[in-house]
Amino acid sequence: MVGYVPLGNGSHNAVVGCAVASRRFLGQARVLVESYLEQHPGGRFTLLIPDDPDGERSLGLPIEELRPADLGMDSAELHRMALSYNVKELACAMKGRLLRFVVERGDVGILLDGDVCVYDDLTPIAEVARAEGLVLTPHGTVPHLPPDRYPPMPGHAPRMRNALGPDQMMVLAGTFNTGLMAASAGAVPFLEWWNERTARYCLLEPGRGLFQEQGWTTLAPTLFDCHVFHAPGWNVSLFALPHDDVTWEDGRPRVQGAPLRCFHFITFDPRSPEKLSGTVHIEGVWPAAEERPGAARVCREYAARLMAAGHEEALADTSPYEWLDGGIPVDPNMRAAYAEALLQHEAGRGEAPPNPFEDGDVDGFLTWLDAPAEPPSEGEPPVPRYLVGLHTRLPWVFGSFRDVPGEDSERFLSWVPDAVDAGDVEVAERWVPEIEREPPPPDPALVTLQEQYRDLLSALESYRSSRSWRMTAPLRRAAGLARVRRTGR
């Protein structure tokens, strides 16, 4: 634990705000914590920084700062998750672990996302959690227009049949938004179930029903006792404001006639505060800034607060889980290859893959990625595990080369260099196949012209070496001189 200063009476069954924030998002975390403490004087807050194992970063605020080891997590499992996931996925996978830590020591936890700002008292949701165990909040509590009123899904033909509106986006992202939830000890069965799934499947693949940690919560009301918090003003984003705006009374923000408790700045980029979202499609389905001047004011003020909190400096930080020793970046293909081998091992189908975060053997890990996942059949080229990772994680690549390793291996390996050159995929230079390419066949029309040209040169040379050409040479010279005298040229 780093920087913990007990607040209040420190008794069990207290209300504790909590959040997970990676090093790069500590600017946002600072604003979250400060806004929470402003609305809860003397309150307690617990922050987990999942990618700072040596405690190099701190907000320097009177809160409890934790690392995964403080939750009782062993280093081997942390390193397995840190190599399987990117930093954002790792942070999301830690949410349930932090919340379980808080409730198991006897507190009631209010879990908040780092991109939330608190504007009023949050203890009412904690009191519901104290009685009900688990409290979830939806993305919004009012209906939107039907899909055909919105732009088509990115990557699809620009036709109304492919419309992607807010309702569909919320279905894909999970019914509930984990930017605000609350729990007490009664939620432990759910938290155990949630943590088991996010240990290996905290991935952003909506087409497979995976929206990091959030999508799993859709099943919570059917499997566990929980309470859905429908009150207005909680976990508000532009998804919750299709017909309303933020207003002010006595200098305090309100929405739908109720106090604005907390605002969730989903996809907001403080470097462009005039836009309500930094994502083009989401901006297209949300009301425009000029249509929601109250929400636009909230965004502008939040942007100024973020910048003053060192947001830009935090974004420039790096995570130790993004690099191997020696400055080698850990890319998505490495993570996919490792995660697949880890799952196979845990299912009893192979040896545990090497993990350089755990054993420090970078060369051993790279050599493992060089090797094929399985011996190739006779006549088939071996496919490195690294490139199998590429094939695993991109559905469209699998759709083009279905049998890899296998009958499509040679065609797949021949395609990779061209795809890298075209910018279609990203592959570390070490694993771009070296393909010996035959020169392209010549253009038949060009071959014909070249042959005709050679025939003309041969005929001209034969003519010039003939006896008649030599005998008529004086006459050609005389004719040339006469032409010069007559024309001056």
Side-chain angles (χ1 to χ4, degrees), residues 214-277:
Q214 185 169 276
W216 293 107
T217 63
T218 297
L219 297 175
T222 65
L223 301 176
F224 305 95
D225 292 332
C226 73
H227 179 89
V228 178
F229 211 68
H230 289 284
W234 297 80
N235 203 5
V236 175
S237 72
L238 266 293
F239 281 123
L241 298 177
H243 313 299
D244 299 279
D245 193 12
V246 178
T247 59
W248 268 262
E249 293 184 15
D250 299 325
R252 298 185 67 85
R254 298 179 66 83
V255 63
Q256 297 176 35
L260 174 61
R261 304 283 180 164
C262 56
F263 198 96
H264 196 170
F265 294 87
I266 299 172
T267 73
F268 177 66
D269 185 350
R271 294 165 294 190
S272 301
E274 72 283 357
K275 296 181 179 180
L276 301 181
S277 172

Side-chain angles (χ1 to χ4, degrees), residues 304-316:
R305 192 164 182 175
L306 273 183
M307 292 305 184
H311 179 68
E312 292 276 23
E313 294 81 357
L315 282 180

Side-chain angles (χ1 to χ4, degrees), residues 84-335:
S84 299
Y85 292 146
N86 62 38
V87 174
K88 183 176 181 181
E89 292 165 344
L90 177 64
C92 291
M94 291 292 170
K95 285 185 176 182
R97 288 158 178 78
L98 172 61
L99 198 51
R100 179 170 179 173
F101 173 82
V102 169
V103 304
E104 284 194 331
R105 68 183 182 188
D107 296 323
V108 179
I110 302 176
L111 182 67
L112 297 151
D113 266 359
D115 55 350
V116 166
C117 190
V118 181
Y119 295 93
D120 212 312
D121 182 18
L122 301 184
T123 53
I125 197 172
E127 294 308 317
V128 176
R130 195 189 304 277
E132 302 285 346
L134 175 66
V135 180
L136 299 172
T137 60
H139 292 279
T141 57
V142 292
H144 294 82
L145 296 173
D148 57 89
R149 311 294 179 90
Y150 297 98
M153 184 173 181
H156 287 62
R159 302 187 179 99
M160 292 180 70
R161 185 178 183 276
N162 296 329
L164 179 64
D167 290 343
Q168 298 156 272
M169 295 173 76
M170 289 187 285
V171 169
L172 289 173
T175 306
F176 307 107
N177 187 289
T178 55
L180 171 64
M181 56 190 297
S184 65
V188 167
F190 162 76
L191 295 173
E192 288 179 343
W193 174 89
W194 197 26
N195 291 337
E196 183 180 20
R197 279 143 188 80
T198 57
R200 300 291 181 264
Y201 292 96
C202 190
L203 302 169
L204 186 58
E205 296 181 19
R208 284 208 297 140
L210 299 174
F211 200 91
Q212 294 171 334
E213 87 297 343
Q214 185 169 276
W216 293 107
T217 63
T218 297
L219 297 175
T222 65
L223 301 176
F224 305 95
D225 292 332
C226 73
H227 179 89
V228 178
F229 211 68
H230 289 284
W234 297 80
N235 203 5
V236 175
S237 72
L238 266 293
F239 281 123
L241 298 177
H243 313 299
D244 299 279
D245 193 12
V246 178
T247 59
W248 268 262
E249 293 184 15
D250 299 325
R252 298 185 67 85
R254 298 179 66 83
V255 63
Q256 297 176 35
L260 174 61
R261 304 283 180 164
C262 56
F263 198 96
H264 196 170
F265 294 87
I266 299 172
T267 73
F268 177 66
D269 185 350
R271 294 165 294 190
S272 301
E274 72 283 357
K275 296 181 179 180
L276 301 181
S277 172
T279 301
V280 173
H281 190 81
I282 290 182
E283 187 181 21
V285 303
W286 278 357
E290 56 269 21
E291 297 173 2
R292 297 291 183 271
R297 172 183 166 181
V298 169
C299 289
R300 287 194 306 272
E301 293 178 355
Y302 177 68
R305 192 164 182 175
L306 273 183
M307 292 305 184
H311 179 68
E312 292 276 23
E313 294 81 357
L315 282 180
D317 199 357
T318 58
S319 168
Y321 300 135
E322 294 176 307
W323 302 88
L324 301 176
D325 288 344
I328 300 171
V330 182
D331 69 24
N333 302 325
M334 293 181 185
R335 297 189 190 279

